[in-house]
Amino acid sequence: MTRLVFLVASLALLGLANTQYQPTWESLDTRPLPTWYDGAKIGIFIHWGVFSVPSFGSAWFWEDWQGSQSQSYVEFMQKNYRPNFTYPDFAPMFTAEFYNPEEWASIFEASGARYVVLTSKHHEGFTNWPSRYSWNWNSMDVGPKRDLLGELTL
């Protein structure tokens, strides 16, 4: 199942690689919906990373806490973490100890899902694969010490 998902996603991307779009909603909205996607009906999207550690809010935890300094996020951090705790301090706590990609793939297949999308890089730059461009801020260098994306696509 995982090889099929990876192959389908790769082929879909290759088919659009030569198409030029402008950075506008009007241009992007002209992209055709892939036939396989429309026919699949059920898919699974996984958004998982360092922001999962505090289990509070959303994937935009860092922005809500440090950027906009949302009062509920600031209070959450004051109540649950030591003074001067930083967002990167969460990374070693992102251990993925229950991550079993073979089991996940079996569950996905049994669910009837026709595709799976794992968000592999997040807006704060953390990648769920070993990346030389995201040195010391990826799942191989810190936290799980594993290639989370690679294990799911094998």
Side-chain angles (χ1 to χ4, degrees), residues 33-98:
L33 188 62
T35 306
W36 67 265
Y37 181 83
D38 195 35
K41 303 296 181 206
I42 298 174
I44 295 173
F45 287 82
I46 304 166
H47 206 82
W48 183 44
V50 172
F51 60 85
S52 303
V53 173
S55 300
F56 185 85
S58 71
W60 290 92
F61 184 90
W62 190 5
E63 169 60 28
D64 291 330
W65 171 39
Q66 294 291 302
S68 65
Q69 298 187 348
S70 170
Q71 190 61 35
S72 61
Y73 286 77
V74 172
E75 289 173 3
F76 172 82
M77 289 303 295
Q78 289 171 344
K79 180 179 177 184
N80 295 288
Y81 294 92
R82 64 174 166 71
N84 301 316
F85 191 92
T86 66
Y87 186 79
D89 290 334
F90 283 124
M93 297 178 203
F94 178 53
T95 61
E97 70 268 21
F98 299 116

